[in-house]
Amino acid sequence: MNGVDIHVQEMGRGPAVFLVHGLLLDNLASWYLTVAPRLAASRRVVTYDLRGHGLSQRVASGYDSAGQALDLAEVVDTLAPGEVVDLIGASYGGLIALRCALARPWSFRRLVLVDAPLPPRRYPEIDAYLEADVETLVGALPVRLRAEVLQSKRRAARLARSVGYLVRKTSLIDDIRGEEEIPAPLFAGFELPVLGIYGADSPFRADAARLAAHLPNVELAVVAGGHRLLNESPGEVAAKVTEFLDA
Amino acid sequence: MTSDTVATLAALLREVVGDELDLMGPIDAGTCFSSDLELESIEFVALAEKLQERYGAEVDFASWLAGKDLDAIVALRISDVAEFIDGCLSSE
């Protein structure tokens, strides 16, 4: 896809929904082992590893949201050519999903953003996250997941290796820091129904208001948990998504 | 649970994990995916894909996992998955 080998997984049958995961600690397992199977009861669920993440090809550059939106567009065009599909992005994957939907709104029916840092602009939470070392990133995981990683030397080492690769060997940090505001004209006439789900204790909670200010057709929902809602409240997230997509 | 299913699981795990699996000791029914094999979540996904290739749609591993919370997934042993597979195959 877009010159990069992208690892894709699918489950379920029905109308197609594409799921996009977040940066660094995440890969498609963040969806696959949490919310995806719940949605697959009534849908064809497609999820993929972002470039450099999970089992997708490790590549040195192209991690900005606009560039990754091109990867996503190719995934959609390849797996659901000509279809109008639903799209869900979590965390930075929400920004990628929004970018893609803004660029080609005709491809998408409904859009869900799960605790996405929006609109994209530099602010302290993102800088703090990007400057963090692997230990700090692991420390920010919900207690249960953190224990899960730290109990296993192998898992901790592999996590440190994959995050270390992205932070030190690729342009990811520079690409994210260099993100510019989405140009206002792109939002003009964008009428896709959007659901924004935010964690009650998330550092990105205040972005719900920013999202609403930019998008004319947005619903907001708050569920229990912090930023990693897919792990913390998978049932609640799946229920909100299903209600919105079925409406 | 049949010994065939356990052997199949061990072979599929080898495809996912590679030679590193040898360092983790022999695989039997009591082997825990998380604490013994120290599988990563993405490797679990890869195993699910292998199971689907091997057994087809009647073994819906992903949906079975979806009914479990993280604690239950972490505690999964080879015997749990083997029994699930055998159950799917015998109910045809």
Side-chain angles (χ1 to χ4, degrees), chain A residues 60 63 173 214:
Chain A
Y63 291 90
I173 299 289
H214 277 69

Side-chain angles (χ1 to χ4, degrees), chain A residues 37 144 152 154-155 158, chain B residues 20 38-40 43 66 71:
Chain A
R144 191 65 195 78
S152 159
R154 176 176 184 266
R155 270 195 296 273
R158 290 172 71 93
Chain B
E20 214 183 316
E38 304 191 56
L39 279 202
E40 280 187 303
E43 292 172 311
D71 284 322

Side-chain angles (χ1 to χ4, degrees), chain A:
Chain A
M1 313 280 178
N2 216 359
V4 178
D5 287 337
I6 295 291
H7 171 227
V8 176
Q9 291 284 344
E10 286 195 38
M11 61 176 88
R13 275 192 291 272
V17 56
F18 284 72
L19 311 181
V20 190
H21 68 76
L23 295 176
L24 295 172
L25 293 170
D26 283 317
N27 54 52
L28 66 77
S30 308
W31 281 112
Y32 194 98
L33 298 176
T34 58
V35 174
R38 292 168 160 92
L39 300 179
S42 58
R43 295 183 158 72
R44 176 191 179 204
V45 177
V46 183
T47 184
Y48 70 103
D49 283 327
L50 297 179
R51 57 172 58 210
H53 292 72
L55 301 178
S56 284
Q57 189 180 348
R58 293 184 160 199
V59 287
S61 61
Y63 291 90
D64 60 296
S65 60
Q68 296 211 67
L70 294 176
D71 292 348
L72 169 58
E74 276 216 28
V75 170
V76 172
D77 282 345
T78 303
L79 293 162
E83 281 182 51
V84 177
V85 303
D86 291 321
L87 179 60
I88 312 179
S91 189
Y92 206 79
L95 184 46
I96 295 167
L98 178 61
R99 281 276 190 179
C100 194
L102 286 170
R104 36 186 287 161
W106 57 85
S107 290
F108 303 105
R109 191 184 70 98
R110 287 184 166 235
L111 172 65
V112 182
L113 308 173
V114 182
D115 219 62
L118 291 167
R121 52 179 228 176
R122 291 188 52 193
Y123 56 105
E125 291 89 340
I126 287 187
D127 279 351
Y129 194 71
L130 292 180
E131 281 161 11
D133 53 23
V134 171
E135 290 71 28
T136 311
L137 291 175
V138 171
L141 292 171
V143 173
R144 191 65 195 78
L145 263 188
R146 186 165 70 228
E148 174 56 19
V149 169
L150 294 179
Q151 274 164 11
S152 159
K153 277 186 187 162
R154 176 176 184 266
R155 270 195 296 273
R158 290 172 71 93
L159 185 71
R161 199 156 69 224
S162 61
V163 174
Y165 165 76
L166 286 165
V167 169
R168 286 189 284 276
K169 308 276 189 188
T170 77
S171 63
L172 184 143
I173 299 289
D174 289 341
D175 289 348
I176 306 314
R177 287 213 167 123
E179 285 279 355
E180 293 180 358
E181 289 279 4
I182 296 177
L186 276 182
F187 287 103
F190 183 78
E191 286 168 356
L192 211 67
V194 179
L195 170 66
I197 303 176
Y198 286 87
D201 305 318
S202 165
F204 300 116
R205 171 90 161 80
D207 287 7
R210 293 187 203 152
L211 187 67
H214 277 69
L215 298 171
N217 197 2
V218 67
E219 284 175 39
L220 297 172
V222 175
V223 304
H227 180 54
R228 300 190 63 84
L229 287 179
L230 303 185
N231 300 117
E232 294 172 89
S233 301
E236 269 190 90
V237 170
K240 296 282 185 202
V241 167
T242 300
E243 188 186 330
F244 176 71
L245 295 185
D246 285 347

